[in-house]
């Protein structure tokens, strides 16, 4: 049986952290997703995939058996897409 502290950590990561993670992934997808022929695919597809991102990250946070692995994966996703966005805005200058 999981302790109260473990349940609180899991639900914090499943709730607000998964939502912030999905937002960062959606924003990062605009950088690394191919533009397509009309050059809007990298903007439209992340917006359309946002609900799927939120649900999949939430379910992963709730259903993973090991709390430490879940926290590590969630923080790695946050860090990876934060670095992608920071690099993009630093190199490109926001455009």
């Amino acid at each position: 049986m999981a302790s109260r502290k473990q349940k609180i950590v899991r639900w914090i990561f499943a709730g607000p952290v998964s939502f912030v993670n999905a937002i960062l992934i959606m924003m990062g997808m605009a950088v690394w997703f191919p533009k397509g022929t009309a050059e809007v695919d990298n903007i439209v597809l992340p917006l359309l995939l946002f609900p799927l991102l939120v649900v999949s990250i939430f379910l992963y946070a709730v259903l993973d058996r090991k709390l430490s692995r879940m926290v590590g994966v969630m923080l790695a996703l946050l860090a990876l897409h934060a670095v992608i966005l920071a690099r993009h805005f630093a190199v490109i200058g926001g455009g």
Side-chain angles (χ1 to χ4, degrees):
M1 179 122 171
S3 70
R4 181 173 168 83
K5 183 180 177 182
Q6 289 176 337
K7 286 182 183 179
I8 290 171
V9 168
R10 185 170 301 274
W11 284 104
I12 287 173
F13 272 85
V17 175
S18 67
F19 188 74
V20 169
N21 209 345
I23 290 173
L24 276 178
I25 291 172
M26 179 188 67
M27 292 168 57
M29 280 178 75
V31 175
W32 57 259
F33 206 75
K35 291 191 181 207
T37 55
E39 295 190 3
V40 294
D41 290 348
N42 64 329
I43 298 169
V44 173
L45 288 177
L47 288 172
L48 293 175
L49 292 175
F50 179 71
L52 181 64
L53 285 171
V54 172
V55 169
S56 61
I57 294 171
F58 171 80
L59 286 176
Y60 174 72
V62 171
L63 296 176
D64 194 2
R65 290 181 186 254
K66 294 180 93 176
L67 183 65
S68 60
R69 179 177 51 202
M70 182 271 299
V71 170
V73 168
M74 296 283 278
L75 292 178
L77 278 173
L78 277 169
L80 175 68
H81 283 87
V83 167
I84 288 172
L85 288 171
R87 183 179 177 275
H88 175 71
F89 286 120
V91 170
I92 305 298

